[in-house]
Amino acid sequence: MYGMINRAVKGLAVDRYGAETWARIRVLAKVDEVEFLSMEQYPDELTYRLVAASSEVLGVPADQVLQAFGEYWIEYTAEAGYGEIMRAAGRSLPEFLANLDQLHTRIRFGMPQLRPPSFSVTEAEDGTLLLRYVSEREGLAPLVVGLVKGLARKFGESAEVELVAPRTKDRPFDEFRIVRTAIVGTA
Ligand code: HEM
């Protein structure tokens, strides 16, 4: 994956837990790089090692690390030069989710080796959203939970996100139910 991902993993650890904790994570993960270059390719496996080491050092399950990273990513990208792309992707949560593939297509102009996920969304009659997520990578469903929660917050909402149908061999996508529970600050 592009180094931007690992930079953000580091950013989250340093911002929340300090440079010393990050150093312990990096050493445990056997990662030599002190800095990551946003536009360089790194093996996916390095990122997975950072997640596993974060989980161990912080004493929280890896799923929670991924979820926290997803929420962080929404703020990180907006501040890392992608604010305009984020703004252009939609003015509501359903609109934004429907435009996710287009968003990654735009990012691919600057990152030609990007191997992005693919999403589709439908709105049920009761307003619940169903999100399907296709990925060539394993184990990232908790990341999607955090990303969607972060997006909801960006729109002044709060959302419950549940993986209702994990992918199988015959059904190659994870399906999430998104219940938008509260509108924050817009009474
Ligand atoms: C402007 C903002 C964004 C940028 C710059 C960005 C960029 C990236 C990059 C660099 C990767 C790693 C893939 C690779 O290097 O091959 C990635 C993966 C991913 N992105 Fe985005 N992204 C953005 C927004 C989002 C949003 C809002 C979501 C919300 C669902 C999202 C969902 C994902 C997921 C789930 C992956 C994991 C890859 C996989 O499943 O294979 N991204 N993105």
Side-chain angles (χ1 to χ4, degrees):
M1 287 194 258
Y2 275 94
M4 187 183 171
I5 300 280
N6 300 321
R7 268 185 95 93
V9 172
K10 175 182 173 183
L12 173 60
V14 172
D15 285 359
R16 264 197 216 153
Y17 304 100
E20 258 177 55
T21 301
W22 163 248
R24 283 169 56 208
I25 292 170
R26 190 175 66 76
V27 169
L28 186 66
K30 298 195 165 54
V31 167
D32 295 331
E33 285 87 347
V34 178
E35 282 301 338
F36 301 99
L37 302 172
S38 287
M39 296 299 167
E40 287 288 309
Q41 289 282 315
Y42 295 83
D44 283 7
E45 198 246 327
L46 185 155
T47 309
Y48 283 94
R49 287 208 314 269
L50 286 176
V51 171
S54 302
S55 160
E56 208 167 318
V57 168
L58 301 173
V60 299
D63 283 11
Q64 269 182 44
V65 172
L66 281 171
Q67 193 175 316
F69 178 72
E71 293 187 45
Y72 182 78
W73 183 247
I74 300 302
E75 293 162 29
Y76 183 87
T77 48
E79 286 162 20
Y82 293 89
E84 188 44 45
I85 288 186
M86 288 292 275
R87 262 190 301 280
R91 279 175 299 169
S92 69
L93 182 63
E95 192 194 346
F96 197 108
L97 293 174
N99 284 333
L100 275 173
D101 285 9
Q102 221 184 324
L103 175 147
H104 281 111
T105 301
R106 286 188 72 182
I107 290 159
R108 212 189 221 152
F109 284 115
M111 295 181 167
Q113 296 179 71
L114 192 74
R115 293 186 283 123
S118 178
F119 292 92
S120 65
V121 68
T122 53
E123 194 158 2
E125 269 172 33
D126 64 358
T128 301
L129 303 174
L130 284 177
L131 182 71
R132 286 180 175 182
Y133 161 57
V134 179
S135 171
E136 61 176 74
R137 299 182 173 94
E138 298 282 336
L140 297 182
L143 170 67
V144 173
V145 172
L147 285 161
V148 173
K149 287 187 170 194
L151 281 175
R153 190 172 314 121
K154 175 177 143 65
F155 292 112
E157 300 181 7
S158 116
E160 278 169 27
V161 186
E162 190 192 348
L163 176 62
V164 285
R167 71 180 179 192
T168 63
K169 236 192 250 151
D170 304 326
R171 229 170 134 270
F173 50 83
D174 289 308
E175 192 165 66
F176 301 86
R177 187 193 294 123
I178 302 166
V179 182
R180 297 150 77 191
T181 48
I183 307 291
V184 183
T186 52

